[in-house]
Amino acid sequence: MTWLITGGAGYIGAHVTRAMAAAGKSVVALDDLSAGVPERLPADVPLVRGSTLDGDLLTRVVAEHGVTGVVHLAARKQVAESVAEPTRYYRENVGGLATLLDAVAAAGVRRLVFSSSAAVYGDPEVGLITEDTPCAPVNPYGETKLAGEWLVRAAGAAHGISTVCLRYFNVAGAAAPELADTGVFNIVPMVFDRLTRDEAPRIFGDDYPTPDGTCVRDYIHVADLAEAHLEAARRLDAGEVAGDLTLNIGRGEGVSVRELITVIGEVTGDRRPPLVEGRRPGDAPRAVASAERAAEALGWRARRGVREMVASAWEGWRLHHAG
């Protein structure tokens, strides 16, 4: 049994690829390398360069590698960019998924793990977000992830594909320095980038209805996230998932942006106070997961804390930005 991992050379994708390969699963990665880095992958994992919008390529890859399951991570994922370029996000995130599902269904592949997001929930006024919390995304990125879930479930029902949708909360950290996030889009590398350039970190809005006025998020170590994918694949391979399953992947603990910057200052030794700027479009005040259903369905819980996320990410940042 071989698993195709789309976006497999990306930050999250490479962690998933390595975790699954280390567990003895046969894997093949597909990535257009717009954000992926081939060197992140183990030497014995095949890498196919290409897009999920290329149906002919997907058909060939599935056939040539004997693919029996798919982990679909390839997508654009920046909130502000999605607000500025909504048609691009729908085309690549939803259109690419539809093309992939056509190839999967035609080849008789019956297992799929879909990379979703807490952005599907929008701005719910609840202490902990459960999988039953109504979905009301507040930006095009979240809309495309929710539409993706709908599409996955519909295709699964139509073609007998067992599916697991994993709703990620905020991902940080690195399992090894060489796997660290090299993009400057998520909050931890964004702060690192500012400090490296001898500039103060930025906070986008301190007037949210939260204890310290900054956004509150549930941060999860990328290695924990990779283990959740591995457990989902194992359950699908074992036939323990019938139909569709949707799970939050988080720690169940909220950390504000200001608190996170404090931890970053402690880890890096650069404790300069942050600059406060205006809110970014599309940011929700609070998003913290209830991950109990993932524990019940997969036997999975996050094991790593925020300080470990920051310390491992900092080690990777220094490797990639030496000098």
Side-chain angles (χ1 to χ4, degrees), residues 138-171:
V138 296
N139 53 63
Y141 167 66
E143 293 168 3
T144 65
K145 286 300 183 180
L146 183 56
E149 289 188 11
W150 293 339
L151 184 54
V152 163
R153 293 191 195 104
H159 302 291
I161 304 169
S162 295
T163 64
V164 179
C165 294
L166 301 180
R167 291 173 174 169
Y168 309 171
F169 282 65
N170 289 62
V171 185

Side-chain angles (χ1 to χ4, degrees), residues 11 18 26 64 87 99 141 170 179 182 216 239 260 274 288 298:
Y11 165 53
R18 286 202 177 196
S26 173
E64 290 174 4
T87 56
T99 304
Y141 167 66
N170 289 62
L179 297 183
T182 57
V216 172
L260 180 66
V288 180
L298 303 180

